[in-house]
Structure formats: structure tokens, C-alpha cells
Amino acid sequence: MAVKNQVQLITYPDSMGGDLKALNDVLLKHFADVFKGGIHILPPFPSSGDRGFAPLTYLEIEPSFGTWDDIRAIGEKFDVLVDLMVNHISRQSEYFQDFLQKGRKSEYADLFLTLDKLWESGEPVQEDIAKMFLRRPLPYSTYTIAETGEEEKVWTTFGKTDPSEQIDLDIKSQLFKQLMIDFFMNFKRQNVKIVRLDAVGYVIKKLGTSCFFVEPDIYEFLDWMMELANSLDIDLLPEVHAHYTTQYKLAERGYWIYDFILPYRVLDALMNKSSHELCHYLRTRPQKQFTMLDCHDGIPVKPDMDDLIDTQEARKLVDVCLERGSNLSLILSDEHKADDGFDVHQIRCSFYSVLNGEDDAYLAARAIQFFAPGVPQVYYVGLLAGENDLEGVKKSGEGREINRHNFSLEEIEQSLKKEVVQRLLKLIRFRNEYEAFNGEFTVMDSSKDEVRLAWKKDNKACSLFINLITNKSVIEYLDLDGKTVQYAV
């Protein structure tokens, strides 16, 4: 299959030079030997909101980004990973636009979850809604059908606006299944190697449950998706923000999962100068994971870290992040907040800024990520040691813009001159090329203010030592002649 145990880049289609052609030029010019694990291109499809995450279709590329030819061109040199928002599609999609016109007479009507599919009367029951894990005040929106003037209530898990731009799909519908087959066949034609199933935890709607990661139904759905992907030789990466035990269940079933716990653990170790929790976690976590520190959203806290953190201690860490310019996304439903009211969903920041722009601390964070078993992903802002984009937040009113700066070609060239970026590139190359990372991983005993990690395969061995007081990191490895070499990260 496609997943390689080497470093991947995550980027928007327009974040490194303005479009997909420019992205490919930048990759070939500066990073041809860097991202051997592939390129995760955040949604390049026509979209009506949420920076690509409200797609109209997966059969086309947004014309301002380029065409499928550009994606295939990137795919010649790098494995391409794209997102599939399996839970929802844009209100502006041809499917929902047809429904808005004709209502139940639309050929696409069954693709959507009208409320009578849950409640026989078609009227929502507050008692059921109270049990749900909500992403907006109500899980549905009301739309007026053009031909009849009738109102239809349709399930909408996500969306900042009311009515929402993101319309949930009915996974039980035959139309849905055919749509997925069409989308995956197209991904195969376009040489896409990995598909991330975004928001997959929300696909099952069942009264009396939280409507989030509903078992065992979710596994039946994922198994069907996996069968489809496997038939086309495409790897699948389910994206689930949930209690860590939920992720572990997926891992037990052989799925790739995201390590949404590592970013907080690394931050905590570096800020509080204590490796205790980090090392315990690294000893016990599943190994088949994609690792990350930063992304287009934020550092996960709740629900990913539930039962893993003391909320009072977490509040202190969050306060330091806020002092360093971060902003927060919060949990909406009271039922899913901590008993003491702790409600932080994600800490939004550049990872470089949240470490106070300290080069050694930032390189130590990356070294831990790269030594943790799994496929490491580096977000483009992190690659270029970008700082909090407070101007972007002010301009857009969207807190997540803090870590979504679009780099011009000139800014990329400037960033590459930074010592911290050159050091990071050297570290990525080492992680890609040193054979021991395909062997056996050990968390070595260390004092509280140190981290010691090691890998061994045949006659290759390397270890990482980090002094958390100074944030200095040293890698020791055996070279081709079997000599011990020390490398200050």
C-alpha cells in the first residue's frame, strides 16, 4: 500500500505560492528530497466555505487553484493525500441545490437527512438532542423549497451560519454509496494514494446516543469504506477527534489513526520541563499512527485529552498559550465540558509561536515527533517556522487564521534562510533516510527533566537525548562504518 514511513507535508493548495502549479514548483525546487512520505493537500475542490471543508464536489478542482493535471503532476514525484468530508457536502452542491428547488421530488432527495428519517413526525425532540455531541447550537437547519414554498428541516452537524453551508449526507442511502464509489474511482484516476476521512465520527445518527462514533454501526460503515479503498489500492486515514479509547479501538481493528494526543504531551513536557507524562504515553500508545504537532485547526485538548489531563493543570498551560498570543475554540454542549467547567476544544496558534519562538524548544518538539513511532506530518506553517498571524485573525474574524498564513514565493525564500528552518530540514532528512526508524522503538529511562528515545534495526541504531532545562537535543547514531556519530539537532 501507499503509506511510507517518512515525513509528509500538509498544506493548502494556495498556501505556498498561490496555487497548485506554484506549489509543485516550490516542492521540486526546495523540497524534492524532503517530503518522501508525500503531500497532504487540504481540500483543493470547489467549496462554499470553511476554507475548502464545505466541498461542492470531489470530481473537480477549484479553478483558482488549478486542475487535476496539477494534482497529477505533484503525484508524479510525491504521494498525494486528499480529504473526503464523508459526513457532509456543500449547500451549493448540485445535489442540494436540486433538493432546494424540487424538495422531495428531487432525484437527490434521499441523499440528505430530513428529520422524518430520525423522528417519525419530522419534529425534533429536545430530550434526544440534549444527548448529542453538538458542534453548533442545533444539529439541523431549516430550508425553504422553491417550487412549493414548504419548509424542510435537514440535518447539519457543522456550519457557522444558519441555515448551514454544510449539509449532512445519509450514509444509508444508495445514492450516498454510489457517490462515494464515483469519488473514489476519480481519486484513483488522478493518482491519489491516501484519502483522509474527515468528520467520519459524525456519520451515524441514532436517537438516544451522542450521534458521535456510534458503535458498532461506525465499524460497519468504516469496513465498507475500507473495502472500497482497498479495491482501488488507496489507503484510508479516518480522522476522529474523540476520547483516546475511541482512537485505540480503531487502531485495534487495524486502521491508521491520528495521534491527537502527542501535540499536547510535547507542549506540556517543554513548558513544564517534565517528561513523565510524555514518556508514559510514548510507552503505551499504538504505533500505527500519523503524528502531528500543528495543523489547520489547533492543538487538540477536549475530547482528545479527556481523562489524560488534570483540568486545573491544563488551565495553567492554556493560560501560558494565551499569553503567547494563542486563541481558543471551545466546547459548546454543557454535557461535554469538564465538571469544573473546563471547555477548551483546541488551542489555536503556530507551534513555533506557542514555544515563544525558541529555536531549540521547537527543534526538540519536532525531534520528539519524529522519534515517536508513526508517519510524521509537518504543517506548512511549521515547516517555515511561521509565527502567529494575528493580522489574519483580525481581518477575517476567524480564530483559526492564526495558523493559516499564505506564503508568497518571496516569503518562502526568506523563511528558508532562517537557521531554525535549515535545522528542521536536516532533521527531516535524517528521519527519512536513517534505516533504524523501521525497526524497534524504546523509551529509555531518564530523569524527569530529560527525554531519551531510541530506535534499532539490525546494525543501525539511533537515540535522541533532550535536556528539557536547556531544550538542547542531541541525536547519536551509528554510521555506515559502525562508528558512533553525535548530531546536535
Side-chain angles (χ1 to χ4, degrees):
M1 292 297 265
V3 176
K4 299 182 176 115
N5 181 23
Q6 291 173 305
V7 181
Q8 291 185 353
L9 173 71
I10 314 174
T11 179
Y12 283 102
D14 57 340
S15 283
M16 297 183 76
D19 61 22
L20 289 163
K21 265 195 181 60
L23 172 62
N24 195 28
D25 290 345
V26 166
L27 290 172
L28 294 175
K29 182 177 178 185
H30 299 296
F31 307 109
D33 65 336
V34 175
F35 294 108
K36 294 187 170 182
I39 311 295
H40 177 177
I41 302 172
L42 294 166
F45 316 107
S47 169
S48 60
D50 199 11
R51 190 141 182 196
F53 283 85
L56 278 67
T57 177
Y58 295 87
L59 302 175
E60 297 163 30
I61 297 297
E62 163 58 42
S64 64
F65 300 151
T67 67
W68 279 113
D69 290 346
D70 299 314
I71 297 279
R72 283 199 308 277
I74 294 170
E76 281 173 26
K77 177 80 183 169
F78 307 91
D79 286 351
V80 171
L81 185 162
V82 296
D83 297 270
L84 179 67
M85 274 52 76
V86 70
N87 177 70
H88 52 264
I89 204 152
S90 168
R91 175 184 172 179
Q92 308 304 326
S93 65
E94 64 171 305
Y95 319 105
F96 196 69
Q97 285 297 306
D98 196 73
F99 175 77
L100 280 181
Q101 188 61 33
K102 304 172 190 165
R104 303 289 174 114
K105 289 185 187 152
S106 164
E107 62 180 300
Y108 301 117
D110 195 40
L111 199 49
F112 307 107
L113 279 157
T114 47
L115 293 201
D116 56 308
K117 285 185 174 180
L118 283 123
W119 293 282
E120 225 170 287
S121 66
E123 286 305 311
V125 176
Q126 187 49 43
E127 195 183 324
D128 291 322
I129 292 174
K131 291 180 179 143
M132 295 171 190
F133 181 62
L134 298 179
R135 295 303 303 266
R136 55 203 304 273
L138 287 172
Y140 60 86
S141 297
T142 306
Y143 301 90
T144 304
I145 304 305
E147 284 182 9
T148 63
E150 287 172 18
E151 288 197 331
E152 283 280 13
K153 291 189 175 74
V154 180
W155 204 271
T156 52
T157 300
F158 295 92
K160 288 265 161 70
T161 56
D162 197 28
S164 174
E165 268 301 311
Q166 288 155 295
I167 316 295
D168 284 43
L169 298 165
D170 181 358
I171 63 162
K172 292 177 180 168
S173 148
Q174 276 309 116
L175 280 172
F176 171 86
K177 289 182 174 147
Q178 190 52 53
L179 212 52
M180 291 301 115
I181 291 166
D182 293 347
F183 292 159
F184 267 84
M185 298 278 284
N186 183 52
F187 289 153
K188 177 66 177 173
R189 280 194 297 275
Q190 311 300 349
N191 201 18
V192 168
K193 292 291 202 301
I194 309 169
V195 172
R196 180 173 84 151
L197 292 185
D198 193 77
V200 68
Y202 297 90
V203 297
I204 310 288
K205 281 78 176 176
K206 204 171 186 180
L207 298 184
T209 74
S210 67
C211 290
F212 179 79
F213 208 86
V214 179
E215 299 173 89
D217 316 48
I218 188 75
Y219 302 123
E220 286 166 33
F221 173 75
L222 279 169
D223 289 347
W224 180 79
M225 292 296 291
M226 181 69 108
E227 207 176 302
L228 171 60
N230 282 347
S231 72
L232 298 165
D233 207 26
I234 291 173
D235 275 301
L236 220 51
L237 172 59
E239 187 254 10
V240 181
H241 282 286
H243 193 278
Y244 72 96
T245 52
T246 301
Q247 295 270 35
Y248 286 16
K249 284 176 194 168
L250 279 175
E252 276 165 26
R253 287 169 177 266
Y255 285 96
W256 282 101
I257 59 171
Y258 256 115
D259 192 344
F260 289 135
I261 296 168
L262 188 66
Y264 185 97
R265 282 280 172 253
V266 168
L267 198 58
D268 173 52
L270 288 162
M271 280 187 173
N272 294 317
K273 307 295 180 193
S274 169
S275 64
H276 180 72
E277 295 292 351
L278 172 69
C279 289
H280 172 71
Y281 172 61
L282 289 174
R283 282 189 178 100
T284 55
R285 67 195 269 284
Q287 296 212 356
K288 190 178 174 179
Q289 305 203 46
F290 277 59
T291 69
M292 43 86 78
L293 292 181
D294 44 0
C295 68
H296 63 286
D297 281 339
I299 296 166
V301 186
K302 286 184 68 62
D304 308 83
M305 302 300 299
D306 284 352
D307 297 327
L308 294 174
I309 49 173
D310 175 320
T311 50
Q312 287 179 320
E313 289 302 314
R315 175 68 67 196
K316 288 180 199 164
L317 182 136
V318 166
D319 286 345
V320 174
C321 295
L322 290 172
E323 280 166 28
R324 295 177 179 181
S326 308
N327 66 62
L328 308 173
S329 68
L330 304 173
I331 297 281
L332 282 180
S333 31
D334 289 335
E335 197 177 317
H336 296 279
K337 294 176 185 174
D339 293 341
D340 63 358
F342 184 74
D343 60 353
V344 179
H345 174 49
Q346 291 177 339
I347 303 164
R348 301 190 294 214
C349 56
S350 120
F351 214 88
Y352 185 66
S353 287
V354 84
L355 291 172
N356 242 359
E358 290 177 24
D359 292 3
D360 287 343
Y362 183 61
L363 269 304
R366 287 293 174 200
I368 295 166
Q369 180 197 2
F370 294 170
F371 266 72
V375 176
Q377 289 189 322
V378 176
Y379 186 57
Y380 74 100
V381 179
L383 168 69
L384 299 171
E387 298 180 16
N388 288 339
D389 187 355
L390 303 176
E391 199 52 46
V393 175
K394 205 188 293 177
K395 222 182 270 180
S396 64
E398 165 59 79
R400 291 178 297 183
E401 289 296 317
I402 194 165
N403 199 32
R404 295 180 175 184
H405 179 71
N406 284 343
F407 287 79
S408 66
L409 295 173
E410 195 183 355
E411 285 175 312
I412 293 167
E413 300 272 357
Q414 288 303 315
S415 300
L416 284 164
K417 291 176 185 165
K418 292 194 273 194
E419 188 196 343
V420 64
V421 174
Q422 286 303 318
R423 287 167 65 190
L424 176 58
L425 292 175
K426 183 179 176 186
L427 182 61
I428 292 173
R429 289 186 178 103
F430 180 78
R431 172 63 180 78
N432 282 341
E433 287 151 25
Y434 197 71
E435 191 52 37
F437 289 107
N438 293 307
E440 198 180 316
F441 172 70
T442 314
V443 180
M444 296 154 76
D445 290 338
S446 65
S447 63
K448 188 183 118 172
D449 55 14
E450 295 173 347
V451 177
R452 290 178 186 270
L453 309 174
W455 282 91
K456 187 172 188 342
K457 187 183 183 203
D458 303 329
N459 58 348
K460 292 283 190 299
C462 63
S463 61
L464 170 68
F465 168 69
I466 297 174
N467 178 335
L468 292 173
I469 304 302
T470 63
N471 294 325
K472 297 278 188 204
S473 311
V474 175
I475 291 173
E476 200 169 88
Y477 65 96
L478 294 176
D479 69 8
L480 291 172
D481 302 322
K483 287 192 185 126
T484 300
V485 179
Q486 280 205 342
Y487 147 42
V489 176

